Amino acid sequence: MATTIVSIIQVLVGVLLIIFVLGQSGKHAGLGAIAGASESFLSKNKAKSADAKLARWTKWVAIAFMVLTLVLCLLP
């Protein structure tokens, strides 16, 4: 019974992880880095942006996925 519940939670966390990863923007700088646009107002306040919050949530969901995977391995 516990294996079934943990498996269902892991599937839901896995789907959430996929959604978070696909929702992030690319990390390439493009031509903006050559022209010096990387030092703009938006890049300085990146920690407050939605993309930074999404990256933070992605890390936590990935950790939860790994923990659930280890729990599933240890359950009989």
Side-chain angles (χ1 to χ4, degrees):
M1 182 71 176
T3 306
T4 305
I5 293 172
V6 175
S7 295
I8 291 171
I9 294 171
Q10 186 181 27
V11 168
L12 294 175
V13 169
V15 169
L16 193 63
L17 182 61
I18 291 170
I19 291 170
F20 282 171
V21 168
L22 290 177
Q24 292 182 12
S25 63
K27 300 292 182 191
H28 61 281
L31 293 177
I34 297 172
S38 62
E39 294 297 324
S40 67
F41 174 76
L42 292 175
S43 67
K44 290 180 182 177
N45 291 325
K46 188 176 180 184
K48 298 177 184 176
S49 71
D51 204 28
K53 290 178 185 175
L54 189 61
R56 192 176 312 119
W57 276 101
T58 304
K59 291 174 190 171
W60 284 109
V61 172
I63 291 170
F65 186 81
M66 288 186 283
V67 169
L68 285 170
T69 303
L70 291 173
V71 168
L72 274 175
C73 288
L74 296 176
L75 285 176

